[in-house]
Amino acid sequence: MRRLLVGLTALSVLAAVSACGSSGSGGQDDAGSSGPTTVKVGIVPVLDVAPIYLGRKQGFYEERGIELELAPAQGGAAIVPGVVSGQFQFGFSNTTSLLVARSKNVPVKAVANGAASTGEGGADFAAITVRKGSPLTSARQLEGKKAAVNTLNNICDTSIKESVRKDGGDPSEVEFVEMPFDQMPAALDGGQVDAACTPEPALATVKAAGGKEIASNFFDVSPDLTVAMYFTSERFATENPELVKRFQEATAESLKYADSHPEEVRHILTTYTKIPTTLLEKLTLPRYPAEPDRPSIERLAELGERDGLFDKAPDLDELLP
């Protein structure tokens, strides 16, 4: 709880700084500029962001006068302060982190969809996994165990809690341990944690080492779960409406392209993660719908309120595009 309060205090401070500070070097939406506008986008190096890498490669952003600089971070909770302070012009974040930010009046605004669950339990692009030989076979058995998440108080621990709850267990008895996704397979093998929230490509890595999945945590929240979205600050959106519109259009084209070119999604992943090429065909791809699924986001807001991430669920009209 102390970590949550410290993190939220930091977000509030950054929001105040943003209100009187610079909007960042990429914030000049000058229609008369002779060259492209460079924008820095904070991303999490997972399969979810393959479309933006593909869009950059295909020239979708360049065609609209945007030069992308993609900056990897550990999770959406770390990217939110960077966008609010002007370090990034846009960011990619799991939906729960954006809900937490809005609940604390941090001025973030979603501008484009990110990734969604496959809609198939046991065949999703993320799962709760355990190491080879683990005696754990169900989410309920995570009571009293350690589960790895990339950042605390985000969509991973929220969805793991829901999986435990649906399986008849007590989610308050799970101990969450923070670490990057790419460190989770080794942490499972080494016994530092009992289970992990593993989206692709970590999921394929765990399975290749003989690990297994015991629950589809994103699916357990909602079959059509909007897992993450691209966002900006309210100030940047107000000051740069045309640039935001061009970013939205390029991202929408990138999502559509990714959905129709699955093999290119797999191969672009090798350019920003360390996944072995031998695992590419084993990856389960997410869906990349054009629009967020509001009912699933409402469900995440309900769970966030239930689990104490915020006292009152935020107004989704203020967050969603």
Side-chain angles (χ1 to χ4, degrees), residues 180-224:
F181 287 125
D182 61 4
Q183 293 180 15
M184 292 181 186
L188 282 173
D189 286 343
Q192 289 110 313
V193 293
D194 303 291
C197 173
T198 48
E200 297 286 15
L203 177 58
T205 303
V206 170
K207 288 183 175 180
K212 60 185 178 181
E213 61 179 88
I214 61 172
S216 297
N217 47 313
F218 290 169
F219 176 85
D220 284 343
V221 173
S222 173
D224 297 314

Side-chain angles (χ1 to χ4, degrees), residues 153-174:
N153 303 309
N154 81 352
I155 199 166
C156 269
D157 44 13
T158 293
S159 57
I160 288 176
K161 288 178 180 178
E162 180 65 356
S163 290
V164 172
R165 188 181 289 119
K166 281 192 167 183
D167 198 34
D170 183 355
S172 68
E173 295 298 317
V174 182

Side-chain angles (χ1 to χ4, degrees), residues 95-176:
T95 306
T96 295
S97 289
L98 295 177
L99 290 169
V100 171
R102 283 282 4 168
S103 74
K104 296 300 176 180
N105 296 316
V106 177
V108 293
K109 181 73 174 179
V111 296
N113 202 23
S117 165
T118 64
E120 297 182 52
D124 205 358
F125 78 101
I128 304 172
T129 54
V130 297
R131 64 183 171 274
K132 181 180 180 180
S134 171
L136 302 181
T137 59
S138 69
R140 181 178 65 251
Q141 294 172 328
L142 292 177
E143 290 182 356
K145 306 298 183 183
K146 293 181 179 179
V149 294
N150 64 318
T151 56
L152 297 173
N153 303 309
N154 81 352
I155 199 166
C156 269
D157 44 13
T158 293
S159 57
I160 288 176
K161 288 178 180 178
E162 180 65 356
S163 290
V164 172
R165 188 181 289 119
K166 281 192 167 183
D167 198 34
D170 183 355
S172 68
E173 295 298 317
V174 182
E175 180 182 351
F176 293 102

